[in-house]
Each structure stands twice: as structure tokens, then as C-alpha cells.
Amino acid sequence: MELVLAKKRQPSKKHWKKAALLTVLAFLLAVVIYTFLILKHDPTLVDMAAKMEPMSWEHPLGTDHLGRDVLTRLLLGGQLTVGYSFLALVLAVVIGVPFGVFAGYKGGLIDRTFMRIGDTFLAFPDTIVAIVLSGLLGPGIGNLLLAIVAVKWVGYARLVRSTVINECQKDYITIAKINGLGSGGIMRKHLFPHIIGNVLVLASLDLGKIILLISSLSYIGLGAQPPVPEWGAMLNDARPYFRANPSLLVYPGLAIVMVVFISNIIGDSLRDRFDVKKEIQP
């Protein structure tokens, strides 16, 4: 009886996640259309005569300390923050996955060398390493992306390596080798189907972390530089005006929370989709 009830509860949970995600995406699409097709504000245009204006039809979220439209900058900042985060994520996956496959499949000295490199990167928290690298390379979004990729590729490489080692110990890989299937065929037909699910789940969950990392480093001046409307940089610009207009800090902060929430929902859905050992909880 408990198992039947659990089976009935699962679809409602999935439907709730999909409904919440679709609602948020539809709302964001409507706001984007209204902002860029109807209002058409320049996100970098300084108008001191219109600074710190309250919410209105012309400026739905008001203006900042330089008279720039907050909503326009918020949406354009979302494109930049999420876009930079996705780019860093793709680069980390592109670098980490081949390293993990090669090290796990070859083993021996190659695998041991990779493990020592990975242990070096993992000896310190990601945020600390990214801050140090960004400080050494200098402020700028390009250097920040390099720093994030440098600390994130190791996680994907280790995940893929462990998956490859685990699968290579199974009988079907031995049978494939006996039947004359080459290394490329084994990786393409047998290993990658197991790798892709794990990588997609980790990437979807990691996207929110990278967004937080880019925003936090931009907030302390190591990422995007003014007047680029990146969310972390917007938080830094609005900090001196917190008492006069706290909404300048609240809006980009809420945007970061919302996008991270969406990425976590997607990650949970992918984890349920690719989990090969699904267990029904009573």
C-alpha cells in the first residue's frame, strides 16, 4: 500500500517542478519582450536628471544613481551573467571529459599523473583558488572565466574517470574487446552513454554555483568592470546607495537567487531522469 501511494506522489512532484519552471520562463519572456521591444532603453546611457526615479510605466523598476533604467540593465546583466557562466561550464566540460576518459581508460602512469594534478586543484576550495587566480591574472571577465575553468574542469574529469574505471571492470567491456571492438568503438558505444547522464546532471547543478561565483567575484571587483551591467557588478555599484534606494541591491540579488533556483530544478529533473538505480521511497 505504501509503495502504491509513493508511486502516486511522484508524478505530482515532477508536475510541480515543470509547472514552476514554465511559469518562471513565461514571465521572464514577457518581461524581456516588454523591455526590449516597447521600452527600448539604453542600458549604459547616463541621465543624471533622471537618477533614482521610482517605479513607473517608463521605468518599471526605477532608475539607478546614474539615471540608467534598472530593468533593462537587469535583463542585459542576466544575458551576460548566465551567458558567461554557461561558457565557463562548456569549457570546463570540454576540457575535463577527455582528460577523464583518457586517464580512466589508459590507467597506469597516465592515471596516477592525472590524479596528482587533480589532488593539487582540489586541495583548496574552488572559490579560494578562483579568487587567487583572478587576482594574479588581473580584473576582467575574460580572466575570471579562465580562473573558473581552471578550477571546474577537475570535477568533471574525476567524475568521468571514475565512471570509465567502473564500467571497464564489467564483463561486457571485456567481451567487446574480445570481439575486436577498438578503443574508439568502446568509448562511443559503451562508455559515453554512461558518461553523458552523469555529466549533464553535474553540469546542471554546477551552473548555479558558477553563476554565484561569477557574481561574487564581480562584486569584489575581479570580474566584469563598469559600465557592464553584470549582476555582481550591479550589486557592487548599488552598495553605496543601500540606505537611499535598497531596491538597487534587492533586484539583482533576487535575479541571482531565481536563476540558481531554476538551474537546481533542472538538475534535480535530470538526476531523476538519468538515475539508473531509482528507488521508490515509502
Side-chain angles (χ1 to χ4, degrees):
M1 184 65 179
E2 292 180 352
L3 291 178
V4 174
L5 292 176
K7 290 180 180 179
K8 290 182 178 180
R9 283 197 299 266
Q10 274 192 333
S12 62
K13 182 180 178 181
K14 293 181 179 180
H15 292 327
W16 177 85
K17 290 181 179 180
K18 292 179 180 179
L21 182 60
L22 290 176
T23 301
V24 172
L25 292 178
F27 174 75
L28 289 177
L29 179 61
V31 172
V32 169
I33 293 174
Y34 176 71
T35 303
F36 291 105
L37 296 184
I38 298 177
L39 295 179
K40 297 182 180 180
H41 289 296
D42 187 346
T44 60
L45 179 63
V46 176
D47 184 7
M48 298 303 295
K51 67 177 182 178
M52 295 293 188
E53 286 190 357
M55 292 186 294
S56 63
W57 286 109
E58 181 66 17
H59 303 287
L61 297 182
T63 60
D64 64 5
H65 61 289
L66 295 178
R68 300 170 296 191
D69 183 69
V70 174
L71 180 59
T72 304
R73 289 179 59 81
L74 193 67
L75 294 176
L76 185 58
Q79 297 179 29
L80 297 177
T81 302
V82 178
Y84 289 144
S85 301
F86 188 75
L87 177 61
L89 183 64
V90 170
L91 291 176
V93 171
V94 169
I95 295 173
V97 170
F99 264 94
V101 172
F102 190 68
Y105 191 78
K106 292 297 183 180
L109 179 61
I110 295 176
D111 186 37
R112 291 194 297 272
T113 303
F114 163 74
M115 288 299 296
R116 300 293 78 78
I117 296 174
D119 291 341
T120 302
F121 277 93
L122 296 176
F124 304 95
D126 291 353
T127 305
I128 301 300
V129 177
I131 290 175
V132 171
L133 291 177
S134 298
L136 292 175
L137 295 174
I141 194 64
N143 293 335
L144 176 58
L145 292 180
L146 290 177
I148 292 176
V149 171
V151 300
K152 286 295 181 182
W153 72 272
V154 181
Y156 295 93
R158 288 176 66 92
L159 173 67
V160 171
R161 171 189 171 275
S162 62
T163 302
V164 170
I165 291 176
N166 183 56
E167 295 300 320
C168 285
Q169 294 174 352
K170 296 182 179 179
D171 293 338
Y172 73 93
I173 297 294
T174 303
I175 294 174
K177 292 179 180 179
I178 294 174
N179 290 333
L181 189 63
S183 299
I186 291 175
M187 293 180 185
R188 184 176 63 256
K189 294 182 179 180
H190 298 296
L191 296 181
F192 278 115
H194 292 275
I195 291 171
I196 188 170
N198 294 333
V199 170
L200 285 176
V201 172
L202 179 60
S204 59
L205 295 174
D206 220 14
L207 180 61
K209 298 178 183 178
I210 295 177
I211 290 174
L212 289 174
L213 189 57
I214 287 180
S215 299
S216 60
L217 293 183
S218 295
Y219 176 76
I220 62 177
L222 293 177
Q225 302 298 306
V228 176
E230 194 274 332
W231 286 341
M234 290 177 65
L235 287 172
N236 187 35
D237 290 342
R239 183 166 45 87
Y241 307 94
F242 175 71
R243 292 182 179 274
N245 192 353
S247 62
L248 296 179
L249 277 168
V250 172
Y251 293 139
L254 286 177
I256 294 172
V257 171
M258 185 171 59
V259 172
V260 173
F261 173 71
I262 292 174
S263 67
N264 287 336
I265 290 179
I266 296 174
D268 289 339
S269 301
L270 289 174
R271 182 168 52 193
D272 295 339
R273 169 65 177 83
F274 289 102
D275 188 8
V276 295
K277 295 181 179 180
K278 293 181 178 179
E279 298 180 358
I280 300 176
Q281 299 294 334

